[in-house]
Amino acid sequence: MGIHRDDFSGCIISSVVPLITTRIEDAVRDILGVDSIIVGPGVKTGLNICIDDPSTLGADLVCACVAANASHKPPMIVISMGTATVWCVIDQHGNMIGCPIAPGLSISLEALTKNTALLQGVNFTAPASVIGKNTDKSIRAGVVWGTVCMIDGMIDKIEKELGQECHVIATGGLAKTIISHCEHKIELQENLILNGLCRIYEKNKKG
């Protein structure tokens, strides 16, 4: 690819698995000869996290909120759709004030189909009808359209509690599959976390 290890001057890591974080950090140091910035307590992000224990907010969510604040005017709802579905709520001042968390689409489907041979092989394509006429369509209707309704419903609840309409951004591997069916206008930003990582790196790099 024409990239030499001497071309690397730094590294930043966002991880929620401490054991893996340490291994990646060691590998980067051994292979590239650079120390990594680990997104977490003590790292400058510019994000004011107003929850009971700010250190418990996942590094990926921190990155997503940093990027959202840099590119849009709050208030905002930043939806991360991966292993879990998370709604990060950013108030009108740019403060991250909380985040409801629900099982992600994959976990929900796995829980439903685990150890049940007749329910295997279901995909995430939304059926045309919410009223399923066979097992496959019934499961897809419940899982996909159920997630769509949950996304829209949570946005309604959050905006009602804030007393304000919010700009809504979605990211994560399953976001594209779901938000096209939502009634709310939701902006897809597939690289939101990477953009946040880049901004945090620039704030913390030495020299």
Side-chain angles (χ1 to χ4, degrees), residues 52-64:
D52 292 344
D53 184 355
S55 68
T56 62
L57 184 64
D60 54 337
L61 302 179
V62 173
C63 294

Side-chain angles (χ1 to χ4, degrees), residues 100-111:
I101 302 172
L105 196 57
S106 296
I107 287 180
S108 298
L109 182 59
E110 181 182 353

Side-chain angles (χ1 to χ4, degrees), residues 68-123:
N69 266 339
S71 58
H72 294 82
K73 183 179 179 180
M76 289 181 285
I77 301 170
V78 180
I79 306 172
S80 176
M81 299 189 66
T83 304
T85 299
V86 185
W87 296 257
C88 290
V89 183
I90 300 175
D91 70 12
Q92 62 183 335
H93 305 295
N95 303 315
M96 191 283 182
I97 60 172
C99 54
I101 302 172
L105 196 57
S106 296
I107 287 180
S108 298
L109 182 59
E110 181 182 353
L112 183 63
T113 60
K114 188 176 182 181
N115 300 320
T116 309
L118 292 176
L119 301 184
Q120 300 299 318
V122 177
N123 61 45

Side-chain angles (χ1 to χ4, degrees), residues 3-207:
I3 300 175
H4 192 270
R5 66 181 184 179
D6 291 338
D7 295 332
F8 290 87
S9 58
C11 174
I12 186 167
I13 299 171
S14 166
S15 170
V16 294
V17 186
L19 181 60
I20 294 178
T21 305
T22 300
R23 291 178 177 176
I24 294 174
E25 184 179 14
D26 291 343
V28 168
R29 185 181 296 111
D30 292 343
I31 296 170
L32 302 178
V34 298
D35 291 325
S36 301
I37 298 168
I38 310 297
V39 179
V43 171
K44 293 180 290 185
T45 64
L47 178 67
N48 190 23
I49 304 172
C50 300
I51 62 177
D52 292 344
D53 184 355
S55 68
T56 62
L57 184 64
D60 54 337
L61 302 179
V62 173
C63 294
C65 291
V66 167
N69 266 339
S71 58
H72 294 82
K73 183 179 179 180
M76 289 181 285
I77 301 170
V78 180
I79 306 172
S80 176
M81 299 189 66
T83 304
T85 299
V86 185
W87 296 257
C88 290
V89 183
I90 300 175
D91 70 12
Q92 62 183 335
H93 305 295
N95 303 315
M96 191 283 182
I97 60 172
C99 54
I101 302 172
L105 196 57
S106 296
I107 287 180
S108 298
L109 182 59
E110 181 182 353
L112 183 63
T113 60
K114 188 176 182 181
N115 300 320
T116 309
L118 292 176
L119 301 184
Q120 300 299 318
V122 177
N123 61 45
F124 292 132
T125 305
S129 173
V130 174
I131 306 170
K133 299 291 187 180
N134 57 51
T135 301
D136 176 80
K137 289 182 179 179
S138 294
I139 292 174
R140 287 192 288 121
V143 173
V144 177
W145 286 115
T147 299
V148 168
C149 293
M150 179 176 66
I151 294 289
D152 277 328
M154 287 297 288
I155 292 171
D156 288 337
K157 288 283 190 182
I158 291 167
E159 290 185 334
K160 183 177 181 180
E161 190 166 326
L162 286 179
Q164 294 175 302
E165 289 188 6
C166 299
H167 185 82
V168 186
I169 302 171
T171 193
L174 297 172
K176 189 174 183 179
T177 302
I178 296 298
I179 65 171
S180 61
H181 302 296
C182 291
E183 294 185 3
H184 283 274
K185 182 180 179 181
I186 304 174
E187 178 183 348
L188 177 66
Q189 286 202 21
E190 295 177 300
N191 294 320
L192 190 68
I193 292 173
L194 290 176
N195 291 339
L197 263 177
C198 183
R199 290 184 176 277
I200 294 171
Y201 176 78
E202 290 297 324
K203 286 179 179 289
N204 291 273
K205 69 178 181 180
K206 296 179 180 180

